[in-house]
Amino acid sequence: MILLITIGIILIISSVGAVFSSIVASSIEEQIGKRALSVAKIVAHDPELRGAFQSSSPSELIQPIAENVRLQTGAEFVVVGNRDGIRYSHPLPDRIGKSMVGGDNEPGLIYGQSYISKAIGSLGPSLRGKVPIRDDNGAVIGIVSVGFLLEDIEEAIDDYQEKVFLITLIALVCGIAFAIGLSRYLKRLTLGLEPEEIAALYVERNAVLESVREGIVAIDRNSEITMMNKAAIRILELPEEDIQRKHILDVLPDSRMPEVLETGEQQLDRETITSGKEIIVNRLPIKLGDKIVGVVSSFRPKSEIDKLTSELSQVRRYADVLRAQTHEFHNLLYTISGLLQLGSVQEAIELITSETTAQEELLLFVARRIPDPMIGALLLGMHNRAKELKIQLVIDQDSHLKVLPAHINRQQVIVLLGNLLQNALEAVNDAAVSQKRVDVYLADTEEELLFEIADSGPGVPDEWREKIFAYGFSTKEGEDRGLGLAKVRGIAEEMGGYIVVGKSDWGGALFTVSLPKEGRIGSEEA
């Protein structure tokens, strides 16, 4: 790239220099020719010179006049000839009285024209201005020839061309330096890629974007659409027309992409409704260094994600419950078997009765106080998981939760609760505490849903209480960390609610979530 730009600039500057040099040469020659013609006209109209033609010895009167003009104007010669071309003046006096040389007097003497010509005279090749001399009646009685030697003209041209060459050379040096600087700047902008590599990436990008099933929209720093794939047009049910360079709000009036452009904060897994469809949206800022240069949004219909999520979560819940129950009942069976082998039949019966009663009481409590089957199943699964980890998971007896209204996304509530409970179990399980406990409280009022998850783990330091909700922030090692709480806050905010973290009665973490029953889901677009 550097070589191509440098060669291009050298060719341009060289061409401009050559053209300018040619123009300068032509201009100098033209100006000297006009100057010679102008001086010749002045001499030809001199009354004293015209009167000298009537004297008995014209050359004696004309020679001083011609020489005076020659010296004042810097001309190489001022020659005055009569009707027959015989000289009345000449810079070399011994040539007075002889015929004028050059053979270019005819247009002036015969046709009475004033003109500029090139010819070889007695002093050498010259550029001359010739003007006829007329008497009072207008008849041609002689001619004036004022000339400058071509050799002198060429020297003057060479002087100017040297200056042009010097300027061109300086321009070349500056141009090469500029080309190198420009090439390096372009190299940085294109991330070190050559033009053919950029073209290949552009073609590949378009192919990839059109091959994915997710809708993708990108805007630049002016909020103008730079790219929208066919999947996005299909999902958003937009007309098949060219929308490139249109403002995003002209196409999607409720889009929050300009908000991301302004704040630089990414928005992940946000739920919205557009064109009558629920979709899940991700919005990420496009950065060049530390500067935000655009935003890209990807989205899919929520129905597709819900279907997969529902199937997966059902399988996971069943697997968790079965695994926990299998492990628990294995231990219970081993205990019962041991008691029977020791002959402690009554103790075995009491153990079976207590386990059965506890399980039945929990099932009855969940069925009565939390009738929503999916949330109830989640709590039972987490309860069994806690027993497997030797953690006491207590569902507050004052908890009550009605069946969720139709406009509240049940799947999102389950994801929210599941993440909070899973985090609490992990925190307690990893902590070196004597009492391992997680308390759950769920409340349903006329205005809001309220969830409280408290644990006896290490808690959250004050300086981390905002950081823990940041995408990717985690105090644990390993990949795929720092996603749960970020997702929980995103869900809460999408529903118009909030989540705060405090300190539990056991010194651990207390997460409180409030979700208004009249949320604002669907108030935005991609």
Side-chain angles (χ1 to χ4, degrees):
M1 183 181 292
I2 295 178
L3 180 61
L4 291 175
I5 294 177
T6 304
I7 293 174
I9 290 179
I10 290 174
L11 290 175
I12 291 172
I13 294 178
S14 300
S15 301
V16 171
V19 172
F20 186 67
S21 178
S22 175
I23 292 173
V24 167
S26 176
S27 178
I28 290 174
E29 185 174 310
E30 181 181 355
Q31 292 301 318
I32 292 177
K34 289 180 178 180
R35 180 180 171 190
L37 185 62
S38 178
V39 172
K41 287 180 178 180
I42 293 174
V43 173
H45 290 84
D46 187 335
E48 185 178 354
L49 184 138
R50 291 165 60 194
F53 272 78
Q54 305 301 322
S55 67
S56 57
S57 182
S59 61
E60 293 181 2
L61 299 175
I62 294 175
Q63 174 69 1
I65 297 173
E67 280 300 292
N68 182 51
V69 171
R70 183 181 69 82
L71 294 174
Q72 289 182 2
T73 60
E76 190 65 33
F77 59 85
V78 177
V79 175
V80 178
N82 63 11
R83 187 74 177 73
D84 298 320
I86 303 300
R87 300 188 186 105
Y88 286 161
S89 68
H90 196 278
L92 302 177
D94 60 336
R95 298 186 182 181
I96 296 174
K98 296 180 180 179
S99 296
M100 299 172 69
V101 179
D104 56 347
N105 286 336
E106 182 177 339
L109 291 175
I110 297 177
Y111 301 106
Q113 297 176 356
S114 298
Y115 54 95
I116 299 171
S117 70
K118 284 183 182 179
I120 300 176
S122 60
L123 298 178
S126 59
L127 181 67
R128 14 176 121 188
K130 289 183 176 285
V131 178
I133 303 172
R134 299 176 183 272
D135 60 15
D136 294 338
N137 297 321
V140 176
I141 58 175
I143 191 168
V144 178
S145 179
V146 177
F148 294 86
L149 293 181
L150 293 179
E151 181 181 354
D152 296 336
I153 296 174
E154 289 173 358
E155 287 181 1
I157 292 174
D158 289 342
D159 289 341
Y160 278 99
Q161 287 182 334
E162 285 179 4
K163 295 177 182 178
V164 171
F165 175 77
L166 181 60
I167 294 172
T168 303
L169 183 61
I170 294 173
L172 276 174
V173 173
C174 294
I176 292 172
F178 173 76
I180 294 173
L182 178 62
S183 298
R184 289 177 177 173
Y185 172 72
L186 293 176
K187 203 80 169 177
R188 288 196 302 270
L189 288 182
T190 58
L191 305 178
L193 299 175
E194 295 297 329
E196 60 273 11
E197 294 174 321
I198 296 173
L201 284 177
Y202 181 79
V203 173
E204 291 174 6
R205 185 207 71 159
N206 287 343
V208 170
L209 292 176
E210 295 303 337
S211 66
V212 298
R213 296 179 62 188
E214 284 195 352
I216 300 176
V217 180
I219 62 173
D220 60 15
R221 67 186 70 189
N222 298 318
S223 295
E224 294 180 351
I225 297 174
T226 57
M227 187 278 301
M228 180 180 287
N229 66 354
K230 292 181 179 179
I233 295 174
R234 174 180 55 80
I235 294 171
L236 299 175
E237 297 182 351
L238 296 175
E240 291 285 345
E241 61 181 27
D242 186 13
I243 59 174
Q244 294 287 336
R245 311 316 306 178
K246 287 187 177 180
H247 198 282
I248 184 65
L249 296 181
D250 293 336
V251 180
L252 300 172
D254 296 324
S255 174
R256 296 183 66 180
M257 294 179 72
E259 177 184 318
V260 177
L261 186 65
E262 182 178 349
T263 64
E265 296 182 0
Q266 55 189 4
Q267 300 175 355
L268 303 175
D269 298 329
R270 300 296 180 91
E271 184 177 341
T272 182
I273 295 178
T274 182
S275 301
K277 296 181 179 178
E278 292 184 76
I279 60 175
I280 303 298
V281 186
N282 293 292
R283 307 180 188 92
L284 286 87
I286 303 171
K287 294 185 177 181
L288 185 60
D290 295 330
K291 190 174 183 181
I292 299 174
V293 297
V295 176
V296 62
S297 172
S298 62
F299 47 90
R300 290 190 70 176
K302 184 174 176 295
S303 57
E304 297 180 8
I305 299 175
D306 282 349
K307 183 178 179 181
L308 294 175
T309 303
S310 178
E311 292 175 357
L312 178 60
S313 56
Q314 289 285 356
V315 171
R316 288 185 61 182
R317 280 198 298 274
Y318 292 148
D320 288 342
V321 171
L322 289 173
R323 183 179 68 251
Q325 288 181 343
T326 299
H327 188 272
E328 181 183 350
F329 280 107
H330 275 167
N331 293 335
L332 183 61
L333 288 174
Y334 292 147
T335 304
I336 294 172
S337 175
L339 290 172
L340 292 175
Q341 290 178 29
L342 294 173
S344 302
V345 176
Q346 185 60 36
E347 286 82 355
I349 293 173
E350 291 175 356
L351 177 60
I352 294 171
T353 302
S354 65
E355 286 295 328
T356 303
T357 302
Q359 190 70 17
E360 287 179 352
E361 287 178 353
L362 177 62
L363 289 172
L364 289 173
F365 173 78
V366 171
R368 185 176 65 254
R369 304 288 290 184
I370 306 172
D372 191 291
M374 293 185 69
I375 296 178
L378 172 68
L379 292 175
L380 290 175
M382 286 296 178
H383 186 273
N384 290 329
R385 174 62 177 162
K387 287 183 66 176
E388 183 181 2
L389 297 173
K390 305 302 180 185
I391 298 173
Q392 184 181 8
L393 192 149
V394 179
I395 302 175
D396 194 295
Q397 292 299 305
D398 292 329
S399 294
H400 66 284
L401 189 67
K402 302 173 184 176
V403 176
L404 297 181
H407 66 272
I408 292 182
N409 189 309
R410 179 187 300 174
Q411 188 63 43
Q412 293 287 66
V413 173
I414 290 173
V415 171
L416 184 149
L417 277 175
N419 274 288
L420 289 177
L421 288 169
Q422 185 65 36
N423 283 350
L425 292 176
E426 289 181 1
V428 172
N429 189 52
D430 295 340
V433 293
S434 58
Q435 184 182 21
K436 296 191 174 185
R437 176 168 176 162
V438 174
D439 275 20
V440 182
Y441 173 69
L442 299 89
D444 188 341
T445 68
E446 294 299 325
E447 295 81 18
E448 65 177 353
L449 302 177
L450 184 66
F451 307 139
E452 290 185 356
I453 312 295
D455 64 62
S456 60
V460 179
D462 292 341
E463 62 271 19
W464 287 359
R465 290 192 176 180
E466 280 301 319
K467 293 181 180 178
I468 59 173
F469 296 109
Y471 183 81
F473 178 84
S474 177
T475 59
K476 301 175 183 178
E477 296 181 355
E479 298 181 355
D480 298 328
R481 291 288 185 180
L483 307 179
L485 289 178
K487 189 175 185 66
V488 166
R489 184 168 72 168
I491 292 172
E493 290 178 350
E494 285 296 317
M495 292 185 171
Y498 63 85
I499 178 172
V500 294
V501 59
K503 192 173 184 179
S504 72
D505 294 339
W506 308 284
L510 170 63
F511 286 91
T512 302
V513 179
S514 173
L515 302 176
K517 283 192 172 181
E518 295 298 329
R520 58 182 179 84
I521 297 178
S523 63
E524 57 177 296
E525 291 189 2

